Amino acid sequence: MRVLVVTAVAAERDAVVRGASAAATGTAGAEKAPGTAEETPGTPASVVEFAVPGYVLHRPAPAGPEPLVIDVLAAGVGPAAAAAGTATALAAAALSGSPYGLAVSAGIGGGFTTPGRSAAVGSVVVSDAIVAADLGAETPAGFVPVTDLGFGTVEHRPPEALVRAVAEAAGAQRGEVLTVSTVTGSAERAAALVAARPGALVEAMEGFGVAEAAAVHGVPVLEIRAVSNPVGPRDRAAWRIGDALEALAGASAALREALRAAPAETWSTS
């Protein structure tokens, strides 16, 4: 089983690697990755780095007699960078003859706070829908999603059974994760996003890009977010990035265990 996890920045990548490495017991039986393996100074012995064109994948040591192979890529900030990095890694793996069976967008994000439904700082959310929240057009009547203009899509839905298994393993909420290209900075904008997507729990910047690339390759997708701050007016003093990264590491350990226990059909059936 091969999984590609895509983050925006190195701090998120390192948190995922740390969590995914937690249960590792050795490297025997690891599959060969696309590109060339290198031991990198400063890299833990349980992690190997592999080059693909333009990027470096970090692979935590597999565990068990039938290892789950997880490769982690920091692709950059925003949906375009995420799509480019994901597509490159998926294509390299496919050309090597060892394609990925799942793509995961993982990182930190802002949590929506609404009466009766909110994502608290430090909590984890697993996406039951990955939504492009600002892909469309502004009109005199307000925002119109690109689908209403007759183009593309604004939503990808991960496999239901996989969402359930990972959320249960991580002790996470399930909800919509919105992808935006401009981070929300006002209460009015936060309210507008929730009004348009009442199921929204988290705002981030990469999930939809990962999902679009995965869809092109016919690979199922999932998004996991640890909440670092409330969505709304920017108050850096209220951000808890360290706490969110620790929650992301814990969720990554849970992801690994859930995937090792999940039957193959869990990955590909909605």
Side-chain angles (χ1 to χ4, degrees):
M1 295 187 289
R2 291 172 53 81
V3 178
L4 175 67
V5 180
V6 182
T7 72
V9 298
E12 294 170 322
R13 177 201 64 207
D14 292 346
V16 172
V17 168
R18 186 167 68 254
S21 298
T25 59
T27 58
E31 298 179 37
K32 183 178 180 181
T36 302
E38 295 183 356
E39 294 291 344
T40 302
T43 300
S46 60
V47 179
V48 179
E49 296 186 1
F50 295 88
V52 295
Y55 302 93
V56 175
L57 302 174
H58 288 230
R59 176 178 294 179
E66 296 182 3
L68 170 67
V69 175
I70 298 177
D71 292 335
V72 190
L73 167 66
V77 174
T86 303
T88 298
L90 291 176
L95 290 172
S96 78
S98 298
Y100 291 106
L102 176 68
V104 181
S105 176
I108 64 176
F112 288 99
T113 55
T114 57
R117 183 174 173 83
S118 63
V121 172
S123 68
V124 174
V125 172
V126 176
S127 62
D128 51 23
I130 301 169
V131 180
D134 57 2
L135 181 60
E138 289 291 342
T139 75
F143 175 76
V144 176
V146 71
T147 47
D148 287 3
L149 303 175
F151 303 106
T153 185
V154 296
E155 179 179 308
H156 291 278
R157 288 198 167 269
E160 163 64 25
L162 182 59
V163 173
R164 182 171 59 252
V166 174
E168 289 177 356
Q173 292 190 80
R174 296 173 50 176
E176 294 184 0
V177 179
L178 306 188
T179 300
V180 296
S181 293
T182 301
V183 173
T184 297
S186 69
E188 292 77 15
R189 175 60 175 160
L193 289 171
V194 172
R197 302 292 309 201
L201 280 178
V202 172
E203 171 187 275
M205 301 183 74
E206 291 80 32
F208 190 78
V210 174
E212 284 281 89
V216 169
H217 284 266
V219 175
V221 68
L222 185 71
E223 186 166 8
I224 301 172
R225 291 287 166 178
V227 178
S228 59
N229 57 277
V231 176
R234 292 175 66 79
D235 177 10
R236 292 185 69 91
W239 294 3
R240 298 291 182 267
I241 292 176
D243 292 343
L245 290 173
E246 285 306 308
L248 179 62
S252 299
L255 169 69
R256 180 174 191 156
E257 293 308 315
L259 292 178
R260 290 184 70 200
E265 58 268 21
T266 303
W267 297 36
S268 57
T269 304
S270 299

